[in-house]
Amino acid sequence: EDQVTQSPEALRLQEGESSSLNCSYTVSGLRGLFWYRQDPGKGPEFLFTLYSAGEEKEKERLKATLTKKESFLHITAPKPEDSATYLCAVQAPDSGYALNFGKGTSLLVTP
Amino acid sequence: SQTIHQWPATLVQPVGSPLSLECTVEGTSNPNLYWYRQAAGRGLQLLFYSVGIGQISSEVPQNLSASRPQDRQFILSSKKLLLSDSGFYLCAWSVPRLAGGPDTQYFGPGTRLTVL
């Protein structure tokens, strides 16, 4: 069965303290891996799509990387406005259109 | 640019009452459309998807149904709500993908449903 595990469940950082979030996955083939940001009471906001091992994508203070078994979301010099829940999802060839989501990492960045 | 709307934003309904949630997408044609549910402490779960008008596929058995009466309109319905239907309902859209390619989905603002 396809599984997506995110760690840590929660992370507290001081402003400017860089760190990484992990997303481990087991799928029979990978069609795509996706990162989203979700603020309380709102829908997930798309961040990145990764497709093949070795791929990297950046957006402002965020950088996503992909290997054959996991993805990292690196946050460089975070600011309080980066506080949110970060969701990882995978899509496999045999899962049709469904995105299989992890439970997320809740990030709090304090001033 | 593309925009996705959902309404209502919040809804409180008694058990056994009907449900209708609406989703519309602007700025794109022939999108794939999706309904997800996010329950407390659980990940998002795909309920229905549609690749065209009148074409609905169900991912999980339940007392909910979906319809797509127009190209950019997606409706989630129920004849009789259960307590277990409470949750955060999210509509999403994507551009029909190339064979074998990733299917990036963009989410709406969501509807918070509480069944009492």
Side-chain angles (χ1 to χ4, degrees):
Chain A
E1 181 180 328
D2 299 343
Q3 286 193 334
V4 181
T5 303
Q6 291 189 247
S7 61
E9 290 185 15
L11 180 62
R12 184 182 179 121
L13 299 173
Q14 285 206 321
E15 186 172 1
E17 180 186 2
S18 301
S19 187
S20 296
L21 313 182
N22 178 263
C23 173
S24 298
Y25 63 90
T26 55
V27 296
S28 52
L30 180 68
R31 175 162 275 159
L33 184 141
F34 310 88
W35 283 99
Y36 292 86
R37 168 194 171 127
Q38 187 173 26
D39 293 301
K42 297 189 177 181
E45 174 189 346
F46 170 73
L47 294 174
F48 303 108
T49 298
L50 301 169
Y51 181 42
S52 58
E55 191 174 4
E56 299 183 352
K57 289 192 176 177
E58 290 187 65
K59 178 181 179 181
E60 296 180 352
R61 295 178 292 281
L62 300 177
K63 179 181 178 180
T65 62
L66 181 66
T67 72
K68 289 186 177 181
K69 293 185 178 181
E70 58 190 350
S71 175
F72 291 95
L73 184 65
H74 307 278
I75 303 177
T76 302
K79 298 181 178 181
E81 53 261 43
D82 294 322
S83 298
T85 296
Y86 289 85
L87 300 172
C88 171
V90 300
Q91 192 173 49
D94 59 358
S95 64
Y97 288 90
L99 297 185
N100 187 359
F101 279 86
K103 294 186 177 180
T105 293
S106 178
L107 173 66
L108 176 64
V109 181
T110 57
Chain B
S1 64
Q2 298 84 10
T3 308
I4 180 168
H5 303 279
Q6 287 187 244
W7 64 91
T10 60
L11 191 60
V12 180
Q13 292 285 92
V15 170
S17 64
L19 173 74
S20 181
L21 303 182
E22 190 165 341
C23 169
T24 59
V25 180
E26 297 177 354
T28 186
S29 297
N30 305 313
N32 291 340
L33 296 173
Y34 311 85
W35 279 111
Y36 283 83
R37 178 169 57 202
Q38 187 174 34
R42 302 180 63 180
L44 279 79
Q45 180 184 38
L46 180 64
L47 302 175
F48 300 94
Y49 69 88
S50 172
V51 298
I53 296 174
Q55 301 179 57
I56 308 295
S57 296
S58 174
E59 289 291 301
V60 292
Q62 59 216 320
N63 70 318
L64 300 172
S65 62
S67 61
R68 185 171 176 173
Q70 300 180 43
D71 180 46
R72 290 169 286 179
Q73 184 185 30
F74 206 22
I75 297 172
L76 183 68
S77 304
S78 174
K79 292 182 179 179
K80 289 185 177 181
L81 284 169
L82 306 173
L83 286 173
S84 57
D85 291 325
S86 292
F88 192 44
Y89 287 83
L90 291 155
C91 181
W93 70 274
S94 70
V95 174
R97 66 183 175 208
L98 297 174
D103 181 47
T104 299
Q105 298 176 18
Y106 303 90
F107 288 83
T111 295
R112 174 73 59 189
L113 172 65
T114 302
V115 182
L116 302 175

